[in-house]
């Protein structure tokens, strides 16, 4: 029997497609293209597959979409056979799932790990992409598919002295595979987005002392994670066809009823009871999808925000810490809310505290710890939970050169521009999976990934069947789409927060809203229509 992990030989003739990234998107892309009879390879920078779930191994790392929804839908057998253990899947379980999928569909033989793509240039004469990897090798492929993830380039904070710290410095998105034990140690966590909020309760349970450095208090909702019973799993499996159909047609990619009423047209007691039901049930989408206008009307939003602020004050015993942890200054949901397991309660433990960086900014990191405007805090470990250069970061990290040598970095200097988040004018035969301008991070990523992968696969197959060599968005279609994405965001409260959705977390990054707020269902219909209309908005040659 051949070793399935041995890479297929011979790259002497151009591949039909080179896929960059072996996360959920890249793996399914490979499987899909193979199914269409196309020759594809995956290059992956990491030493293993799994993307997000390969890198983010910090304590408490867990998905905030339920297991049965955060899973591939393309294989009914896989759906029926995989045993999810919890309502929300932990990092290790998701990585096991991904590995099992790769084995099941024999993907490893076409994946090269430890292979970072550094540059790629379109050769117009041959109509191929010439792809350079960090080892200096070049590979030719007719299509280049960037499955590089939306949150895959970690961002270190702009804090002086990190390199001088004498203790252990960790980033949640580059967690050591052997793990990190905090027993008996004095630990700092910098950053209170999802990664910080998930890791704090676990670290708090181990460390001798934990100090959380918070610049912006985020809204966090209880996950209410629990083991998934055999009955619940069996029921979910029976209901899969309908569940998936609802997810694909929904706004967020999660099967739940769409809101019908304004938060302002129902009596306060009824609204409070609805928020309470969602809070008790747990989950990310309940409260902000409970009414039509939570994300579009400041007053409607305030009703939800006030409800959550009240819960924070109830949960945190020390009034000073409660005050610091109470989110204000941005509408609920405009920075991605967190889903936690005991985050606020962690601050009731001895030795766990929060430092409000708005009142007491960090001046620098020293050899011993963190120096703020008020005092020096000594630490053994500093954990950076400071986020990512989201959505565009992984694309501009590669020196992509399109027609005539045009660079993507230059083309995007004033902000991203795409057609449907699927491709860029001037970059023929290049596709982005869940690229900027698509619903992506505002949705259940698995639903959005599958939709893009299937659309891209069908598109490449259609080109082959037509005998066409090249497809690329027209500049007009790209401009119109990019403008539409911006206008759609402007009609919501999203632009009111300094969020990573807007690139506001990365100094110097253009402040342009990146994901499409139109919802996965309507967006899917639009993409399908574009294909049915013979790839309207694309030039094919
Ligand atoms: O990153 P973030 P993340 N000094 O950017 C702070 C997904 N995800 O890794 O808000 C001090 O959200 C920064 O402060 P501020 C999910 O989509 C999902 O936590 O910019 N602080 C913020 O508090 C999520 O939204 C899951 O003022 C600094 C934090 O660091 C996305 O990934 C789990 C700073 C960064 O928060 C990113 O989450 C994890 C500085 N110089 C992640 N620079 C689940 O599925 C930054 N900060 C549950």
């Amino acid at each position: 029997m051949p070793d399935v992990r041995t890479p297929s030989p011979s790259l002497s003739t151009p591949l039909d497609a080179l896929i960059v990234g072996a996360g959920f998107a890249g793996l399914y892309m490979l499987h899909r293209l193979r199914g269409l009879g196309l020759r594809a390879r995956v290059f992956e920078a990491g030493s293993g597959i799994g993307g997000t779930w390969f890198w983010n191994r910090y304590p408490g790392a867990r998905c905030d979409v339920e297991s049965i929804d955060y899973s591939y839908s393309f294989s009914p057998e896989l759906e029926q056979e995989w045993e999810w253990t919890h309502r929300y899947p932990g990092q290790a379980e998701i990585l096991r799932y991904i590995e099992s999928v790769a084995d099941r569909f024999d993907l490893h033989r076409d994946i090269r790990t430890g292979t970072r793509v550094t540059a790629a240039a379109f050769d117009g004469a041959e109509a191929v992409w010439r792809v350079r990897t960090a080892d200096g090798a070049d590979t030719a492929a007719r299509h280049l598919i960037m499955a590089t993830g939306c949150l895959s380039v970690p961002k270190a904070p702009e804090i002086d002295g990190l390199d001088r710290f004498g203790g252990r410095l960790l980033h949640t998105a580059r967690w050591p595979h052997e793990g990190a034990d905090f027993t008996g140690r004095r630990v700092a966590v910098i950053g209170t987005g999802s990664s910080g909020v998930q890791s704090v309760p676990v670290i708090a349970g181990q460390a001798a002392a934990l100090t959380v450095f918070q610049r912006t208090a985020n809204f966090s909702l209880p996950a209410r994670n629990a083991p998934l019973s055999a009955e619940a799993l069996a029921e979910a499996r029976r209901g899969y066809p309908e569940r998936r159909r609802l997810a694909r047609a929904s706004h967020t990619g999660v099967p739940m009823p769409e809101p019908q009423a304004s938060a302002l047209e129902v009596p306060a007691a009824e609204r409070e009871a609805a928020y309470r039901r969602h809070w008790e049930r747990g989950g990310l989408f309940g409260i902000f999808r409970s009414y039509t206008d939570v994300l579009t009307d400041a007053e409607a939003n305030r009703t939800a925000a006030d409800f959550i602020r009240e819960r924070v004050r109830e949960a945190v015993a020390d009034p000073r810490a409660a005050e610091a942890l109470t989110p204000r200054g941005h509408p609920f949901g405009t920075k991605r809310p967190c889903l936690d397991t005991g985050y606020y309660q962690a601050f009731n433990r001895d030795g766990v505290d929060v430092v409000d960086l708005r009142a007491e900014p960090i001046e620098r990191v020293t050899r011993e710890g963190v120096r703020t405007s008020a005092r020096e805090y000594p630490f053994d470990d500093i954990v950076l939970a400071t986020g990512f250069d989201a959505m565009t970061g992984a694309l501009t990290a590669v020196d992509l050169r399109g027609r005539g040598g045009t660079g993507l970095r230059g083309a995007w200097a004033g902000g991203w521009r795409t057609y449907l988040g699927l491709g860029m004018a001037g970059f023929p035969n290049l596709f982005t999976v869940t690229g900027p301008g698509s619903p992506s991070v505002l949705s259940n990523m698995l639903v959005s990934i599958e939709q893009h992968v299937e659309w891209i696969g069908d598109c490449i197959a259609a080109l082959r069947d037509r005998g066409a060599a090249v497809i690329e968005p027209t500049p007009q279609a790209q401009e119109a789409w990019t403008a539409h994405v911006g206008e759609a965001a402007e009609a919501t409260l999203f632009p009111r927060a300094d969020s990573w959705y807007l690139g506001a977390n990365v100094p110097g990054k253009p402040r342009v809203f990146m994901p499409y707020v139109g919802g996965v269902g309507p967006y899917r219909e639009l993409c399908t229509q574009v294909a049915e209309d013979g790839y309207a908005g694309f030039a094919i040659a």
Side-chain angles (χ1 to χ4, degrees):
M1 173 155 161
D3 176 359
V4 291
R5 289 181 185 246
T6 306
S8 307
S10 171
L11 291 181
S12 51
T13 53
L15 295 163
D16 291 314
L18 181 68
I19 301 159
V20 189
F24 271 113
L27 296 182
Y28 182 35
M29 195 75 245
L30 173 61
H31 178 64
R32 189 81 184 176
L33 292 177
R34 276 192 192 162
L36 293 164
L38 294 158
R39 214 169 125 252
R41 291 289 158 77
V42 180
F43 286 176
E44 163 58 53
S47 60
I49 66 169
T52 286
W53 303 104
F54 173 84
W55 295 105
N56 290 269
R57 297 170 188 244
Y58 60 83
R62 191 173 284 282
C63 187
D64 54 13
V65 173
E66 297 191 24
S67 312
I68 50 179
D69 298 316
Y70 192 80
S71 53
Y72 286 123
S73 74
F74 68 82
S75 163
E77 298 76 26
L78 176 65
E79 263 177 3
Q80 294 303 318
E81 287 170 28
W82 183 262
E83 302 270 339
W84 292 109
T85 66
H86 282 73
R87 179 178 176 190
Y88 297 95
Q91 173 271 333
E93 185 169 9
I94 301 174
L95 195 55
R96 274 201 306 281
Y97 173 77
I98 292 172
E99 286 282 0
S100 89
V101 169
D103 287 340
R104 181 182 193 114
F105 297 104
D106 186 21
L107 301 180
H108 282 288
R109 68 185 156 83
D110 283 326
I111 301 171
R112 205 189 275 169
T113 53
T115 305
R116 180 175 291 281
V117 171
T118 55
F122 184 69
D123 174 343
E126 301 287 327
V128 293
W129 279 91
R130 302 206 180 278
V131 181
R132 170 69 51 97
T133 42
D135 58 5
D138 286 331
T139 304
R142 301 207 176 284
H143 296 90
L144 178 61
I145 303 173
M146 301 299 284
T148 38
C150 294
L151 294 155
S152 47
V153 176
K155 187 189 89 81
E158 315 66 42
I159 298 173
D160 283 346
L162 280 170
D163 53 339
R164 287 198 294 277
F165 180 55
R168 188 167 53 167
L169 186 66
L170 300 156
H171 194 296
T172 47
R174 290 291 177 269
W175 206 257
H177 286 203
E178 65 279 14
D181 183 14
F182 294 102
T183 309
R185 296 172 76 88
R186 298 161 306 168
V187 183
V189 170
I190 302 179
T192 52
S194 297
S195 304
V197 162
Q198 285 191 325
S199 55
V200 159
V202 185
I203 296 174
Q206 276 184 14
L210 169 63
T211 307
V212 177
F213 290 89
Q214 169 196 274
R215 191 164 66 181
T216 308
N218 207 344
F219 291 90
S220 190
L221 308 168
R224 313 231 184 263
N225 187 33
L228 203 52
S229 69
E231 299 77 51
L233 187 59
E235 194 187 323
R237 283 173 173 161
R238 279 194 299 276
Y240 254 135
E242 178 61 2
R243 194 173 183 101
R244 301 298 198 187
R245 192 190 62 72
L246 285 171
R248 291 186 193 114
S250 72
H251 194 89
T252 54
V254 172
M256 59 189 294
E258 295 296 321
Q260 303 298 331
S262 155
L264 303 176
E265 72 190 22
V266 296
E270 185 185 316
R271 193 173 57 220
E272 175 90 3
Y275 291 154
R276 171 89 47 192
R277 264 196 317 279
H278 289 302
W279 183 267
E280 294 305 331
R281 185 173 186 278
L284 191 64
F285 299 105
I287 292 183
F288 73 81
R289 296 294 297 161
S290 50
Y291 295 104
T292 52
D293 46 3
V294 173
L295 281 170
T296 52
D297 182 284
E299 199 47 35
N301 188 281
R302 198 179 53 73
T303 65
D306 282 349
F307 174 85
I308 300 166
R309 286 192 270 263
E310 210 38 55
R311 305 287 79 71
V312 177
R313 289 188 201 104
E314 274 173 12
V316 183
D318 172 17
R320 188 200 54 80
E323 183 59 17
L325 291 162
T326 300
R328 50 175 74 80
H330 66 279
F332 165 61
T334 54
K335 282 165 98 80
R336 171 134 175 150
C338 309
L339 201 65
D340 72 270
T341 299
Y343 176 64
Y344 294 117
Q345 292 74 11
F347 293 90
N348 298 336
R349 300 179 79 112
D350 286 344
V352 179
D353 204 358
V354 57
V355 173
D356 177 358
L357 296 179
R358 308 245 171 200
E360 187 186 333
I362 294 177
E363 288 183 347
R364 61 185 177 278
V365 167
T366 64
R367 212 184 130 61
E368 287 75 31
V370 173
R371 167 93 232 166
T372 68
S373 59
R375 53 169 282 206
E376 174 122 14
Y377 296 81
F379 293 114
D380 301 307
D381 302 309
I382 296 178
V383 174
L384 302 176
T386 45
F388 302 87
D389 182 354
M391 298 201 74
T392 56
L395 297 170
T396 53
V398 178
D399 185 11
L400 290 173
R401 304 263 157 191
R403 206 179 274 292
T406 304
L408 187 72
R409 291 171 189 159
W412 282 8
W416 67 270
R417 326 190 83 67
T418 70
Y419 181 40
L420 298 169
L422 277 164
M424 288 81 82
F427 294 82
N429 291 358
L430 185 150
F431 296 97
T432 50
V433 184
T434 63
S438 71
S440 60
V441 293
L442 296 178
S443 70
N444 173 0
M445 287 302 290
L446 263 285
V447 172
S448 288
I449 283 171
E450 287 195 329
Q451 185 249 333
H452 266 195
V453 164
E454 288 162 16
W455 192 97
I456 293 167
D458 290 350
C459 177
I460 295 176
L463 289 182
R464 176 193 58 188
D465 297 347
R466 279 191 198 193
V470 168
I471 184 167
E472 71 181 285
T474 66
Q476 296 79 358
Q478 172 168 289
E479 286 315 295
W481 181 254
T482 305
H484 171 65
V485 173
E487 284 155 15
E490 283 301 323
T492 70
L493 300 171
F494 277 112
R496 299 198 190 181
D498 288 333
S499 68
W500 58 256
Y501 295 138
L502 268 163
N505 63 329
V506 176
K509 188 164 173 172
R511 193 183 171 91
V512 182
F513 196 77
M514 294 180 282
Y516 178 49
V517 300
V520 300
Y523 170 81
R524 168 189 299 270
E525 282 178 20
L526 207 74
C527 292
T528 304
Q529 194 59 51
V530 162
E532 283 175 6
D533 292 344
Y535 295 96
F538 288 90
I540 298 177

